Amino acid sequence: SDGEEDDDGSLQRVSKMIQRFPGILGLSIDDNLEPKMEWIQNCFAMTEEALSEFILKFPSILSCNVEKNLSPTLNFYIEALGGDEQRALSLLQSNPTLFAYSLEKRLQPRLEEAREVGIAVDASCLRRIGQNSDDLWYAFLIRNRLL
């Protein structure tokens, strides 16, 4: 029946998530998972289904601390986009792994470097700031410095 197919699909997604992030099994539902999922759902105004898809894209977000990691990182992207909260939320919702990068060691220093060479800081630049390896990042900076 249709219900069984949905259950099988859900089971496969949960199984895949556990394979990608086995640490989830050790997280407290009351102290960790529920508050974090609530924060994500409220922050992004997500349906339960959208929340599920978001977490499946980046299950280790559940190991991040809201006060120390998630909230400051969200604020970084909002500020980097000139205070545009909707653009920051859209960027993070489509690229949840951007929450994984260190503010102090990667995001803030690279944002300063981009601004120093006059790169327009938009969603594309912010994806590069987070996701590029050091080699790709510095090649990008050099290309833009020469333009």
Side-chain angles (χ1 to χ4, degrees):
S1 79
D2 287 345
E4 288 175 10
E5 288 174 21
D6 288 346
D7 289 345
D8 288 345
S10 295
L11 187 59
Q12 286 177 345
R13 287 193 302 270
V14 169
S15 174
K16 185 177 175 183
M17 183 170 61
I18 292 169
Q19 289 170 3
R20 287 179 53 210
F21 181 58
I24 195 171
L25 295 174
L27 298 176
S28 162
I29 291 172
D30 293 335
D31 297 335
N32 190 308
L33 298 177
E34 278 187 11
K36 216 157 285 162
M37 291 190 307
E38 216 172 90
W39 183 88
I40 294 166
Q41 192 170 17
N42 291 336
C43 193
F44 291 93
M46 291 180 170
T47 63
E48 297 255 334
E49 189 172 322
L51 175 64
S52 173
E53 291 301 316
F54 183 82
I55 291 171
L56 285 170
K57 282 185 188 175
F58 183 51
S60 58
I61 195 169
L62 296 174
S63 68
C64 296
N65 181 291
V66 171
E67 291 79 26
K68 292 180 182 171
N69 303 109
L70 301 179
S71 189
T73 301
L74 171 60
N75 289 332
F76 165 84
Y77 286 106
I78 292 170
E79 289 169 19
L81 290 168
D84 191 333
E85 186 174 349
Q86 285 310 323
R87 280 181 47 217
L89 289 169
S90 176
L91 171 66
L92 289 164
Q93 188 164 353
S94 58
N95 302 274
T97 58
L98 291 175
F99 275 112
Y101 302 102
S102 167
L103 279 172
E104 295 79 25
K105 293 179 183 165
R106 177 173 279 206
L107 300 177
Q108 290 168 335
R110 286 184 175 189
L111 178 62
E112 288 173 27
E113 292 167 345
R115 286 179 171 155
E116 282 173 17
V117 299
I119 296 171
V121 177
D122 59 9
S124 175
C125 176
L126 289 171
R127 272 193 301 278
R128 286 178 191 268
I129 283 172
Q131 295 172 338
N132 278 7
S133 67
D134 285 344
D135 289 345
L136 283 174
W137 174 248
Y138 292 114
F140 174 70
L141 282 180
I142 291 166
R143 273 196 317 277
N144 279 279
R145 184 175 280 150
L146 298 175
L147 295 179

